[in-house]
Amino acid sequence: MKHGYKWLQIKDVESYKNGKKIFADLSVEMRVGENIVIVGPNGSGKSSFIDLISRNIYPVVKPGTVFRLFGESNISIWDIRSKVGLVTTDIEQRIPSHIKAINVLLSGFYGTIGIQKLNHVNTNHVRKAEEILDTLFLSGSSNLKFGELSEGERRKLIIGRAVIHNPKVLILDEPTIKLDIRSHYNLLTTISDLCKRGTTLVQVTHRVDTIIKETNRVLFIKDKKFIDDGSKEKLITSEKLSNLFNASLKVKRSNGYFYLLPNQN
């Protein structure tokens, strides 16, 4: 599969948060059209990597360092929001329970939490929101309050909010966390459908059972560095995952999905 231009270029990046060094010499490149899963144990730097892209933390400017988003070294927050859809549990937790589902979606046009007085909602925006509700099989939930939805429905709604303005890239941080089995696989189907429609996916997780069939690149992160890079077939193996998580693990594969089990041998 031929991929597009580099939307992310990071080379030898150093960054800090609250005076603590997060990354010392982080390097990675990503292209539009690559559906990537970043796998790593807790504390490996997964969430900090998302913070770097969303500009919650900044790279230190020094000779030899490269940090470009969509070819720009000084891209604005608004340009990032227009090109990158972001789904994290933090965003979900910040949405008040009384906001209607359709207004949660519409807020994605403005980068707000809910609809504010200064937001000018037009008919095109409403039409787009209704289309997304239909795509996510949530059309009957348009006027329900956010707090009335199941966890799976809320997660799908947050993804809809992230893609409502047609971003180039969708970043998901542990998308199936706290979901039951049915909601887990329903959500993976939703994510697969988005990839088939042309959305470039970057999923950050410690679970291999969230890796969808459309994933064509896997990155391992450990101790704040990317330590391995390749296809699902190359990296999602018992040996490599045992080394990544410092545990004796066994990988099973069924119907295109991966499962991780403790190795009893």
Side-chain angles (χ1 to χ4, degrees), residues 108-236:
F109 282 115
Y110 317 108
T112 58
I113 300 297
I115 301 300
Q116 311 296 326
K117 290 182 178 180
L118 295 177
N119 301 147
H120 301 291
V121 178
N122 60 48
T123 54
N124 289 333
H125 287 173
V126 173
R127 189 179 301 114
K128 178 68 174 179
E130 290 173 342
E131 287 176 3
I132 288 181
L133 284 170
D134 187 55
T135 299
L136 298 176
F137 300 101
L138 292 173
S139 54
S141 304
S142 176
N143 289 312
L144 289 181
K145 295 176 182 178
F146 190 67
E148 294 174 331
L149 303 175
S150 69
E151 282 198 280
E153 289 170 332
R154 291 199 296 268
R155 198 69 45 79
K156 287 201 290 185
L157 197 64
I158 298 302
I159 291 175
R161 177 184 180 274
V163 300
I164 196 166
H165 58 282
N166 297 318
K168 298 288 186 183
V169 178
L170 174 63
I171 299 177
L172 304 178
D173 185 9
E174 302 287 3
T176 65
I177 191 170
K178 296 183 180 179
L179 298 187
D180 60 29
I181 293 174
R182 180 182 177 184
S183 296
H184 173 103
Y185 286 106
N186 281 344
L187 188 65
L188 294 186
T189 299
T190 297
I191 296 168
S192 291
D193 289 342
L194 289 171
C195 290
K196 291 171 184 175
R197 292 167 184 259
T199 300
T200 295
L201 174 70
V202 177
Q203 183 193 159
V204 177
T205 186
H206 67 279
R207 296 182 55 170
V208 302
D209 61 349
T210 66
I211 297 176
I212 59 173
K213 297 176 184 179
E214 290 74 19
T215 300
N216 42 45
R217 184 181 174 194
V218 176
L219 289 164
F220 282 177
I221 189 170
K222 190 175 186 179
D223 299 327
K224 311 299 192 298
K225 291 182 180 181
F226 290 108
I227 62 169
D228 214 341
D229 182 355
S231 65
K232 300 189 294 286
E233 292 71 24
K234 177 185 173 185
L235 265 63
I236 307 302

Side-chain angles (χ1 to χ4, degrees), residues 3-8 30-33 70-71 83 168-169:
H3 299 126
Y5 60 88
K6 296 174 184 177
W7 72 268
L8 178 67
M30 297 181 182
R31 291 180 178 272
V32 169
F70 300 95
K83 294 175 179 176
K168 298 288 186 183
V169 178

Side-chain angles (χ1 to χ4, degrees), residues 1 4 9 24-25 33 38 42 54 57 78 84 146 160 176 199 205 210 224 233 240:
M1 179 180 178
Q9 295 168 276
D25 54 356
I38 299 172
N42 291 337
S54 62
I57 59 176
W78 299 108
V84 177
F146 190 67
T176 65
T199 300
T205 186
T210 66
K224 311 299 192 298
E233 292 71 24
K240 284 187 174 290

Side-chain angles (χ1 to χ4, degrees), residues 11-29:
K11 181 182 177 184
D12 298 333
V13 159
E14 178 182 324
S15 64
Y16 293 78
K17 185 175 184 179
N18 299 325
K20 181 181 178 182
K21 182 181 285 188
I22 304 298
F23 297 114
D25 54 356
L26 188 72
S27 296
V28 71
E29 291 184 341

Side-chain angles (χ1 to χ4, degrees), residues 52-76:
L52 197 59
I53 294 173
S54 62
R55 311 299 266 174
N56 287 327
I57 59 176
Y58 287 84
V60 175
V61 178
K62 60 181 183 178
T65 290
V66 175
F67 184 87
R68 295 193 187 101
L69 283 167
F70 300 95
E72 300 290 336
S73 298
N74 296 305
I75 190 169
S76 72

